[in-house]
Amino acid sequence: MTFIGKDLKVVGTRPIRPDGVDKVTGRANFGADMTMPGMIWGKIKRSPHAHARIKRIYTEKALSLPGVKAVVTAADFPDIAAEEAFAGEAIMDFRDLSRNCMARGKVLYDGHAVAAVAATSPAIAEAALDLIEIEYEVLPFVIDVEAAMAEDAPLLHDTLFTQGVEPKPSRPSNIAKRINFTKGDVEAGFREADHIIERRYTGKPVHQGYIEPHACVAAVAADGQCMIWSSSQGHFMVRQYCAHLLGIDISNIRAMPAEIGGGFGGKTLVYLEPVALALARKSGRPVKIVMTREEVFRASGPAAGSVVEVKLGAKKDGRLTAGEVVLKYQAGAFPGSPVGPGCMCAFAMYDLPNASVTGYDVVCNRPKVAAYRAPGAPNASWGVESCLDELAIELGIDPLSLREKNAARDGTKAVHGPTWQNIGYAETLAAVRAHPHWTAPLGPGQGRGIASGFWFNIGGESSAAVHIAEDGTAAVATGNPDIGGSRASIAMMVAEVLGIPVERVRAIVADTASIGYTFLTGGSRVTFATGMAATEAAERVVEELKKRAAMMWEISPEAVEWRDGMAYPAGPNAGAFEPLSLGEIAFRSARTGGPISAELSINAQGAGPGFGTHICDVEVDRETGAVKILRYTAIQDVGRAIHPAYVEGQLQGGVTQGIGWALNEEYIYDGEGRLDNPGFLDYRIPVASDLPMIDTVLVEVPNPRHPFGARGVGEVPIVPPTAAVANAIYRAAGVRLRDLPMSPPHVLAALDKSDG
Amino acid sequence: MPGLSFIAPTTIDEAVRALASAPGLAKCLAGGTDLLVQLRSGRSRPELIVDTKRIPDLIGIRDAGDHFVIGAATPGASISACAPLCRAWPGITEAVDLIGSQQIQGRASLGGNLCNASPAADSVPAVIAARATCVVAGPEGTREVPVEAIVTGPGQTSLKKGEFLVEFHVPKPAPHQSDAYLRFIPRTEMDIAVVGCAVNVTLGERGVCRDARVVLGAVAPTPILVPEAAEALVGHWLDEETLARLDAAARRASKPITDKRGTIEYRIKVAGVLARRTAAIAFKRAGEC
């Protein structure tokens, strides 16, 4: 059943967040809040080298320290074979994941885990780390992507041969994979062009910057039953990965979801949980591990740094004839950068007749990248959206018109394959043109830029259960950790279907033993896919309620109608009965067949792609290079905003992270390949006073595959900001920045260069 | 594991005795906003911590006639809330207010900011520019020294074993004397100065500068007093030519390093820019008081 176009009472309103009180009063239990009787503390010994062979690990001294209960190294984990894990938006191989959690043979980056201890206090555990001695043979290292691609670069993996090139290479390399796809005749497309532009854009890896560091508690009972409490984007993922990495049956692990203090993709894999389990298994005690902020920076996943080369050809009127991009993405220590999605996103917004896209997945001595909000897309769009702006300037066309002229619309065949249906990109451009921001006057030294962004969004496996309580209130359980307000949106959809106020629906996140399998919270999938499961479960409950009312009235269920939380006879022929409320039916359910509930497991298809366009005004201080964001408007097709305030919050959050990426965020390595800024002081995410209020416009082109028309909304908004800011800087200061971050020293250097 | 002792004496003598008799490294905690971070990261491993916040002499701001007395452990929040001090030395109180956040301001102190001996300490340049002194207590009694004599290098001070800072004496401004402090950071707050600059000026007849002190932060191993920059101002109005000379003098005096917070070239250039901008504020204020 579809609710699109219907008059809705709950969906589209802005009720108070159901988990809000716990979070603002400090009652919510995050990963580090769990504690157990007999629990001990784990700490991880990390590599001080960017690249080294582990010759020997001496653990005896640490083990003899009073209070130390266990020490583990790679020897305590099975040496598992290569096997690809389905990780949603990131590519992950179980063998690599195992070696990322605990180095085997070699350490591949500063901060790589080499051993772990568990002791009766954090101080003893810390002291025991110093007693673990490791003999290393230090090896040459490589940090940057193009240096890692060089013929003579130090090799991270002797067994890595570039995939996707013919013939198969005879020598190993740091290039894990080459991707290429084309559409049309690229050479002919460039021949047809009146104007060709070719540019190169670079970006540094950036961290997801979640405020809550990784944390978990693991316990192993005498019969081998394991419990894991952790903060992650998917406790089913934690269960599956731990089972695989430690050789435990999935049924012997129960994973419990903690509240999550931010993830942004960075908690779609495990770092600590398998180590805590190994320590718990060895010590016989529950083990808690909490990362420090420094560990989060040194050892958990950033987004890929990249080099993006863009070539565009256009007619004088701005119509694109051909495009070519080469994307070189850092994967970190193991293969699996998001260069694949980057390749697909590069030209996804445009109706481009001829195009070639090439991507390289490159390993280097940095932490393995993890998913980060639309993984791969911001890198590609940083290049393409900047280059389009440069093209617009060279052609003398305004950048909005250029995008309008080339925008993908329904029926456009995208470069990466699909033919678009029900997309709202052009609608976002129309909303820009209609927005007062687009024509607002600017002062001296100020400039305005625009850029667009795209993300696929995904569906996938989701389960939801709706239970009706004896008083007619309802509970909805799902298996997705609530990162972005999903408890609210799911409760709202269920309330809408049941016809009751949202305050009468309680949404909970159920553990792995209490609900059917549910894929992790990622890919902007939860409101779409899990929302679809919850909606359908609620519809089944309504069918059941109608049946129960029919029994009470002794009429046929088809003769019962459900409206506003009440059963009514469908018409005069059905009989004259007083309507029955949900509460009345629930109260008497024992006499009509027992408890009323429905659980549904689905594999949701038809996630609607998301498009957004942003307008950014900046002011540049020509003497210091400081860039101030004056005004920012994010416009996005959201399908249907279930809870508009949270959708706006997603847009604002994505923009904030994108502006951080644009202006100041970067990993700084010293000459030894060690991270020099592993903390929020020198890794500069924006603070509140750095930003204006970020305005949002929610364009609603319904996604017909979702009962309410929803699309994923959380990832698109991080895609446009880097280019929107650079395009604004050009118009404010006359300098084109092609390397991220556009921090004050870099902007000042560019200004000095342009001043001669 | 070596133990860590913590004491919170209530008299200066008690604190001196504890610091002087400590066998290993002893540290004063005058707020702890730097010290606790260093302890946590393992950068500092003291055996004794002496909390000076419980010593009444070290907390509070007093009017002592021709000068203000600021207790070395007085929280920054009290300093920025002290109206007479804000009127007298807006540069000092604004500099203190730039340190950290509201929460940090409840703990951070002038004494701690000075003795942490960071070249980038925000409160230090303006205090030096005001010709403030500080009173140091130690096993041999107390001594009063100019603030600029305390910091000798990054993390290094001239304090001897058993010595700690009791209070600051900040002279009151003369007529038409005022100050300003600006720092450059890549963000708008919660950051450490890439360059800091304090300017303290006294104006005479028709707005001509009679006296000046210019202090730069984060461009040398310690905050530096730049007499050449002051000379560029004295005897002049603040016109384009004066500003250009000030800019050049500030650049010449800057001997920064390249690190994760900025390059040599960038810091030198911004030192000149900040000197001009800070002087403009200080002159305006001095002209209005």
Side-chain angles (χ1 to χ4, degrees), chain A residues 676-695:
Chain A
D676 200 21
N677 60 334
F680 281 134
L681 181 57
D682 287 302
Y683 181 87
R684 292 185 175 79
I685 63 172
V687 296
S689 53
D690 290 343
L691 302 168
M693 181 65 189
I694 292 156
D695 293 320

Side-chain angles (χ1 to χ4, degrees), chain A residues 39 45 82 92 140 160 201 215 267 278 280 324 348 384 615 631 655:
Chain A
M39 190 183 81
K45 176 89 173 173
M92 178 55 74
L160 191 63
Y201 305 86
K267 292 177 183 166
E324 193 175 342
V384 173
I615 319 170
R631 185 173 179 182
V655 168

Side-chain angles (χ1 to χ4, degrees), chain B:
Chain B
M1 274 181 297
L4 171 61
S5 305
F6 174 88
I7 59 163
T10 52
T11 66
I12 292 173
D13 286 350
E14 233 182 305
V16 168
R17 273 199 304 277
L19 289 166
S21 61
L25 180 64
K27 284 275 194 184
C28 275
L29 184 144
T33 59
D34 286 310
L35 182 61
L36 292 186
V37 177
Q38 291 162 10
L39 285 181
R40 215 185 152 95
S41 71
R43 195 143 53 87
S44 178
R45 295 179 190 271
E47 288 178 25
L48 174 67
I49 289 176
V50 177
D51 182 357
T52 59
K53 286 262 190 204
R54 307 283 175 84
I55 306 171
D57 297 327
L58 269 75
I59 306 287
I61 303 162
R62 263 186 310 120
D63 187 330
D66 64 346
H67 65 277
F68 294 100
V69 177
I70 305 174
T74 308
S78 303
I79 294 172
S80 340
C82 176
L85 196 61
C86 291
R87 270 196 304 277
W89 296 122
I92 292 179
T93 53
E94 285 166 6
V96 169
D97 199 38
L98 288 175
I99 299 170
S101 60
Q102 194 77 24
Q103 292 91 328
I104 294 290
Q105 287 291 323
R107 294 287 305 172
S109 64
L110 269 190
N113 199 220
L114 179 60
C115 293
N116 183 55
S118 160
D122 280 312
S123 70
V124 177
V127 174
I128 292 175
R131 293 195 172 85
T133 60
C134 47
V135 175
V136 177
E140 267 118 63
T142 59
R143 59 191 176 100
E144 188 171 343
V145 294
V147 172
E148 54 268 38
I150 298 293
V151 181
T152 55
Q156 306 291 319
T157 68
S158 58
L159 297 180
K160 295 194 271 290
K161 187 168 172 67
E163 285 191 329
F164 72 102
L165 234 61
V166 175
E167 61 196 24
F168 290 80
H169 292 181
V170 189
K172 287 194 180 163
H176 300 301
Q177 183 180 15
S178 194
D179 70 341
Y181 174 78
L182 290 179
R183 67 170 179 184
F184 183 80
I185 55 172
R187 285 189 287 216
T188 45
E189 58 182 323
M190 299 299 291
D191 219 326
I192 290 184
V194 175
V195 179
C197 179
V199 174
N200 189 308
V201 290
T202 311
L203 303 187
E205 300 271 305
R206 293 173 294 122
V208 171
C209 180
R210 220 153 45 75
D211 181 37
R213 301 253 285 180
V214 177
V215 182
L216 292 170
V219 292
T222 67
I224 51 170
L225 189 59
V226 187
E228 300 80 5
E231 282 159 24
L233 297 174
V234 174
H236 301 280
W237 287 296
L238 199 65
D239 53 19
E240 287 301 318
E241 210 177 298
T242 307
L243 284 169
R245 275 201 311 276
L246 173 66
D247 185 315
R251 287 174 191 235
R252 270 197 306 277
S254 297
K255 303 277 183 286
I257 55 167
T258 290
D259 68 5
K260 59 193 169 190
R261 299 194 181 121
T263 59
I264 291 172
E265 303 72 37
Y266 185 72
R267 283 188 155 118
I268 290 176
K269 184 152 191 198
V270 171
V273 173
L274 279 197
R276 280 190 276 114
R277 293 181 181 182
T278 316
I281 300 169
F283 269 70
K284 184 161 186 292
R285 285 174 175 166
E288 288 166 357
C289 66

Side-chain angles (χ1 to χ4, degrees), chain A residues 448-474:
Chain A
R448 176 169 300 142
I450 60 163
S452 299
F454 157 80
W455 187 246
F456 315 90
N457 302 319
I458 62 170
E461 298 147 287
S462 280
S463 301
V466 175
H467 306 287
I468 303 299
E470 308 86 283
D471 61 354
T473 58

Side-chain angles (χ1 to χ4, degrees), chain A residues 242-303:
Chain A
C242 286
H244 206 106
L245 263 49
L246 290 159
I248 300 171
D249 285 347
I250 285 181
S251 64
N252 281 341
I253 300 180
R254 186 171 174 194
M256 318 289 288
E259 285 297 334
I260 175 165
F264 311 109
K267 292 177 183 166
T268 55
L269 72 170
V270 291
Y271 298 99
L272 299 178
E273 290 90 342
V275 180
L277 259 187
L279 287 167
R281 197 157 66 171
K282 214 165 175 181
S283 65
R285 308 269 291 265
V287 173
K288 176 175 187 164
I289 311 182
V290 181
M291 278 197 197
T292 62
R293 179 63 58 189
E294 182 180 329
E295 289 180 289
V296 170
F297 274 108
R298 286 173 67 205
S300 76

